Amino acid sequence: MSDIKKFMFVNRKAPYGTIYALESLEVVLITAAFDQDVSLVFMDDGVYQMKKGQQTKGIEIKNFSPAYRALDGYDVEKLYVDKESMDARGLTEDDLLVDVTVLSRAEMGALMDEQDVILSF
Amino acid sequence: MKFGIVVNEGPYQRQASDSAYQFAKAAIAGGHEVWRVFFYHDGVNNASKLTEPPQDDRHIVNRWTKMAEEHKVDLVVCVAAAMRRGIREENLAPGFRISGLGQLVECGTKCDRLITFGD
Amino acid sequence: MLHIINRSPLSDIALESCLNTATGGDILLIEDAVYAATSGNAFEGKLRAAMGRFKISVLRPDLEARGLSDRVVEGAALVDYAGFVELVAANKTCQSWL
């Protein structure tokens, strides 16, 4: 695929309650494998996807959170988290699995405007 | 203009597949091309040929099949999502095909617009 | 950019999030999001306040299906599916706030 576009994936849903977060991650990895310019956004309940210390043994659902740590191996390095969403959920950057760029709502809106394709799950 | 459409929800439970169909129909009527519809998440259930709604209801699966036949719309079902949910070649309705997520990425790179219907 | 919302603002924060984040442009309310554009609903004030920054459109067939086509707030444009297609075509990108 010759044409490179800016793809943004907007994650607004918490993990485990629904499958969206896991299947979204699968699309992100494939998109990166096709050498596209990938940005990953976590806002609203989506910030819970990035919470450290997920233990899913008791619910017998696969814990996919370690995959976020592997993202840079796929050249997915643009991870953005909305500050307002973290604040509203009592989370800080120390609670997150990986290093991210924390953005204000205005910065997030401006970043969205730069994209060619926006997918949300 | 060339449109790509993503459908993330199954038929009947949510309105997403209906909205996507109405959008596609209007796009074609407006002289646009609907290049591909990609079915992901529970959206893969739109491809089951075992679907049998009551006679006085719309037939969501057959509607997609007919659109594919009449307007050469490429209906692609995500293989990973389909396998999770028991959608296989043997219960695939006509007009649909099973393929990988790369086909979704291609929708993004090749189409002028990519629009998602979900919940 | 075109922002597409499909959930009622009284049960889901998608529309509120969109209004707080997006820099402007078009917003299209479809499916259960059409309730946001009906007079007397608790979100009406917030929608009206956003009308300066956004152009709000409502999908008429979804409004009619829900028995509310006579209650649209002033300033919101009604579109059919053809109008929906035109909105997508007129904007370089569209984002569905799922």
Side-chain angles (χ1 to χ4, degrees), chain C residues 19-77:
Chain C
L19 296 181
N20 291 340
T21 309
T23 57
D26 279 302
I27 291 180
L28 174 64
L29 306 172
I30 69 168
E31 301 177 3
D32 286 350
V34 300
Y35 294 120
T38 56
S39 57
N41 93 86
F43 200 84
E44 184 185 349
K46 284 180 182 168
L47 189 78
R48 282 182 181 279
M51 281 179 175
R53 283 194 303 136
F54 297 96
K55 184 174 183 301
I56 311 284
S57 301
V58 186
L59 193 62
R60 187 203 307 266
D62 277 328
L63 203 57
E64 286 173 353
R66 289 159 178 80
L68 287 159
S69 46
D70 57 345
R71 299 242 187 119
V72 190
V73 299
E74 206 183 317

Side-chain angles (χ1 to χ4, degrees), chain A residues 45-85:
Chain A
D45 278 351
V47 300
Y48 286 131
Q49 293 180 28
M50 299 297 278
K51 176 71 180 64
K52 266 184 204 163
Q54 298 175 27
Q55 300 284 348
T56 62
K57 215 174 155 204
I59 58 171
E60 292 187 9
I61 296 178
K62 182 180 165 189
N63 178 3
F64 58 92
S65 65
Y68 293 115
R69 294 185 199 274
L71 283 174
D72 61 350
Y74 291 84
D75 289 327
V76 179
E77 283 152 359
K78 298 177 187 169
L79 274 62
Y80 303 97
V81 175
D82 170 49
K83 181 170 189 307
E84 195 180 295
S85 303

